[in-house]
Structure formats: C-alpha cells, structure tokens
Amino acid sequence: GENVEQHPSTLSVQEGDSAVIKCTYSDSASNYFPWYKQELGKGPQLIIDIRSNVGEKKDQRIAVTLNKTAKHFSLHITETQPEDSAVYFCAASIDDYKLSFGAGTTVTVRA
Amino acid sequence: DGGITQSPKYLFRKEGQNVTLSCEQNLNHDAMYWYRQDPGQGLRLIYYSQIVNDFQKGDIAEGYSVSREKKESFPLTVTSAQKNPTAFYLCASTPTLMGNEQFFGPGTRLTVL
C-alpha cells in the first residue's frame, strides 16, 4: 500500500518567518494530496489540497507544491503567526477516500 | 450548526471490556470513516462506510466492529480482542465516497486501564 513519510517531525520558527514541511509518497498512482491542520484536542481540518494534474496551489499565506517525478509534495506557510502553531499532516490517496497519512509535524511559532 | 459530534471526549474502560464510541453527523454525508491516532503517528483507517447498512475494513480493523443502521450514525465498538486499544479515535465524513474533503469530528480519547 501507499507509504507517506513526513519531515521534519517538529519545526520551530520565528513569527513572520516561513515554514516548510515536506512529504514523500511511494505509490506513483496517487493523485490526491491534502494537508490537514490539527489543533490541540481537536480533529484535523483541511487547509489545502492538490491533485496530480497541478504543480502548485496557493491560498493566501499557504501554498502546496507537487513534484510527481520525485514523488514528493511540500507545504509552505509564509509570514507565520502564533495561530499557525499546530500539528500538520500530509496525506496521499489514489482514489480520494482511502487517505494514507504522514506522521505529522508539530509547528511552533515563536513570538 | 452542521457538523460531526463524537461523545464522550474522554472515555475510560477496564481491560477486557468492550466499549462503543459514538459518531453522529448532520451534514447529510453519505460516507463515514473511523481513524485511530497514536502519538507520533499519522491517522490510520479502521473502518469506512459508503452507505447505510454497508461498511468495509480499513487498514487496522482487527479488534474493532462498526454498524451503519442510520445515515447519521456510525458507532465504533472497541472489543476486548483489540490488543492495544488506548488511543485517540477520530470519526470523519464526506458527501460521497470519492472526490471530497473529509470533515473530522473532535475525537474521543479512550484509555483502557
């Protein structure tokens, strides 16, 4: 099955700086790549997603890039703010419903 | 308000007892899912259901059971056969099985003593 690896496991950034999280996947047939944000004690919430026919997608301070050849995709958060502190999960899917998740990245934004 | 509710937020059980976790949604979604989350690991799929009276095993179904008698409800039973049941359990739903964002509930933290 699909195997998703996520790095780094923890990330500390100064407020205003950028944060980058990277994920690799194993199954070249994967075509859907969502990113979820999970705040303490809550369920994950989708923040952005990308499909394999698109190389990059941006939504305000958040962007995702996809390199199908290398089988990796990345989340970029610019101008980080304290409310960006959370655990971020990447996922990959062949058929949209069966998501394979990375292990998560704990992001801490220092004021 | 539309959304997914899971109750209770915290649950404690003695080893050897079965326990049922509740998941209810009023989003009129067809598909529902159960995930397990352990520290330092991603979410792992336990069971999913596309439609009432139908459900499929996920990657780690052993020791768990589900039912889908109503569209709004997808309860998960953690049986005594589950070797390591202490975890954070998340329920999710989508309008259909394919092509849509998964909406998650707030989760239930189960501790087996």
Side-chain angles (χ1 to χ4, degrees):
Chain A
E2 176 67 278
N3 181 44
V4 178
E5 294 190 357
Q6 183 172 345
H7 299 280
S9 58
T10 61
L11 180 60
S12 179
V13 297
Q14 189 70 35
E15 183 177 357
D17 289 349
S18 296
V20 180
I21 304 170
K22 298 180 179 180
C23 289
T24 60
Y25 59 98
S26 60
D27 194 331
S28 58
S30 290
N31 57 14
Y32 176 61
F33 308 92
W35 285 90
Y36 284 83
K37 175 183 180 181
Q38 185 177 28
E39 297 178 347
L40 193 62
K42 298 183 179 180
Q45 184 174 14
L46 180 74
I47 55 172
I48 196 167
D49 57 9
I50 193 169
R51 295 192 179 272
S52 58
N53 59 347
V54 176
E56 183 173 357
K57 185 176 179 180
K58 190 173 181 179
D59 182 5
Q60 299 183 353
R61 297 186 296 107
I62 294 173
V64 57
T65 59
L66 172 65
N67 184 327
K68 289 188 293 183
T69 303
K71 291 190 286 187
H72 68 70
F73 56 111
S74 300
L75 178 71
H76 304 252
I77 307 173
T78 59
E79 301 173 16
T80 53
Q81 301 169 4
E83 53 264 37
D84 294 329
S85 295
V87 180
Y88 292 82
F89 292 96
C90 63
S93 174
I94 297 172
D95 45 22
D96 288 10
Y97 73 88
K98 197 170 180 180
L99 298 176
S100 296
F101 285 85
T105 297
T106 301
V107 173
T108 303
V109 179
R110 307 186 308 272
Chain B
D1 289 336
I4 301 176
T5 57
Q6 292 185 244
S7 61
K9 190 169 181 64
Y10 299 95
L11 191 55
F12 296 88
R13 280 294 183 269
K14 292 183 179 180
E15 191 173 346
Q17 291 181 335
N18 291 355
V19 59
T20 298
L21 281 60
S22 168
C23 177
E24 303 280 331
Q25 55 97 1
N26 60 4
L27 301 167
N28 199 32
H29 286 177
D30 290 317
M32 297 186 74
Y33 311 78
W34 273 106
Y35 291 92
R36 171 182 172 136
Q37 185 175 22
D38 294 285
Q41 297 189 37
L43 284 66
R44 292 182 290 169
L45 183 64
I46 304 172
Y47 268 97
Y48 63 96
S49 169
Q50 181 180 5
I51 197 170
V52 174
N53 293 323
D54 181 68
F55 47 84
Q56 304 295 329
K57 292 182 179 180
D59 298 322
I60 55 165
E62 185 175 353
Y64 300 97
S65 65
V66 294
S67 63
R68 188 83 186 278
E69 298 177 0
K70 299 187 299 182
K71 186 176 185 178
E72 303 80 17
S73 179
F74 191 40
L76 173 74
T77 297
V78 184
T79 75
S80 56
Q82 167 52 231
K83 299 303 180 186
N84 187 19
T86 295
F88 189 52
Y89 291 87
L90 286 159
C91 179
S93 69
T94 60
T96 60
L97 189 57
M98 296 181 68
N100 296 100
E101 170 188 353
Q102 290 193 16
F103 293 82
F104 283 86
T108 292
R109 184 166 298 280
L110 172 66
T111 302
V112 176
L113 306 172

